[in-house]
Amino acid sequence: MSKAETFRALHRGRLPGDPLVLPGPWDAASAQVFADAGFPALATPSAGVAASLGYEDGATPADEMFAAVARIVRAVDVPVSADVEGGYGLAPEELVERLLETGAVGCNLEDSNGGVLKVAAQHADWLAEVRSAAGDQLFVNARIDVFEYGDSNPERAIERAALYVAAGADCVYPIGAPVGVLPLLRSGIQGPINVFARPHSPSPAEQLSGQLAGHLAELGERGATRITFGPGLQRRATHALREIAGNLMDASHSFD
């Protein structure tokens, strides 16, 4: 079974309360940590990768993003899906070609540009072209930005999801959807649903573990097929490193 087939199979037959949890590595080292912990697959966050490369979210040049994804893929044996934002203006065939060159088995594709929702029907047509170019080599996760940049109406998200699934999307991602509307989305959307989880960065590691366990189970019970974290894990790691740096600085003053 290829990595792409393995990744697709991980989304099938998930029971409520048992979502597929996909940590988001931002570089090769973090990818190795997650893979060594036993996660069966990973999903890069564009904002986390951008931060690791010194860019603001959404400002990473395409060449640097694809190169970063390739380094992450090379570092681990598990399947890796890549957040490639809105596709960087590439034609579907070129986008698919460049993704496959990195070794990625899936991709996130946004339905907004510059904080403005794209015309859903036009975006669905574009997704259909991506699907046609990719065949079964890529798992397409179609992000729905209604809750980020639209009117936050769940029905609008369901309408967009229907268009994207009909266009060939393997999964839809209503980013920012409130937990309370997940059952409604689950009842109205065909196929897997990606839900965004927010780790509680200020919490100690032991407390965070307990918080996350309950939060992930709740998201699964309410309809999440798979869970990703956006740049949350990278930001928590940065928070921890900032504390270490502060302690180091305090210790260094003791030598003065």
Side-chain angles (χ1 to χ4, degrees):
M1 183 181 291
S2 70
K3 283 186 178 180
E5 292 170 331
T6 297
F7 188 67
R8 185 168 277 106
L10 287 170
H11 294 76
R12 299 191 187 116
R14 311 252 15 143
L15 298 174
D18 180 33
L20 173 62
V21 178
L22 298 174
W26 53 93
D27 59 14
S30 58
Q32 289 171 338
V33 168
F34 293 134
D36 289 346
F39 289 97
L42 308 174
T44 70
S46 61
V49 173
S52 75
L53 296 174
Y55 292 102
E56 295 293 326
D57 184 21
T60 309
D63 287 350
E64 293 198 43
M65 182 62 76
F66 288 120
V69 171
R71 288 192 293 271
I72 289 170
V73 171
R74 286 198 302 269
V76 296
D77 291 328
V78 299
V80 176
S81 182
D83 183 346
V84 288
E85 303 175 292
Y88 307 111
L90 300 174
E93 296 80 4
E94 183 179 0
L95 176 61
V96 168
E97 180 180 358
R98 298 201 65 177
L99 277 164
L100 294 177
E101 285 174 351
T102 70
V105 300
C107 60
N108 279 13
L109 294 169
E110 302 170 3
D111 70 345
S112 65
N113 183 29
V116 178
L117 287 173
K118 297 177 181 177
V119 177
Q122 293 176 0
H123 186 61
D125 289 343
W126 184 78
L127 287 174
E129 292 183 56
V130 172
R131 172 84 284 151
S132 177
D136 60 0
Q137 297 180 86
L138 287 175
F139 185 97
V140 177
N141 186 33
R143 204 175 93 171
I144 298 171
D145 288 356
V146 166
F147 298 98
E148 294 285 293
Y149 306 120
D151 59 9
S152 297
N153 185 338
E155 293 301 331
R156 300 290 84 74
I158 291 171
E159 290 169 3
R160 284 178 173 255
L163 287 171
Y164 302 162
V165 170
D170 298 286
C171 182
V172 294
Y173 180 14
I175 188 171
V179 174
V181 307
L182 292 181
L184 175 60
L185 296 178
R186 176 67 285 168
S187 67
I189 292 175
Q190 297 295 315
I193 299 177
N194 188 144
V195 173
F196 174 56
R198 300 177 186 272
H200 302 272
S201 59
S203 304
E206 296 79 6
Q207 184 180 349
L208 176 71
S209 176
Q211 288 174 337
L212 272 179
H215 184 47
L216 300 183
E218 179 187 12
L219 294 179
E221 289 166 358
R222 287 177 176 264
T225 309
R226 73 182 222 179
I227 295 173
T228 54
F229 302 88
L233 300 177
Q234 180 268 329
R235 289 173 180 170
R236 177 172 169 82
T238 299
H239 176 81
L241 188 58
R242 188 173 290 114
E243 289 188 343
I244 292 170
N247 292 336
L248 269 176
M249 180 57 70
D250 291 343
S252 70
H253 288 327
S254 67
F255 301 119
D256 294 342

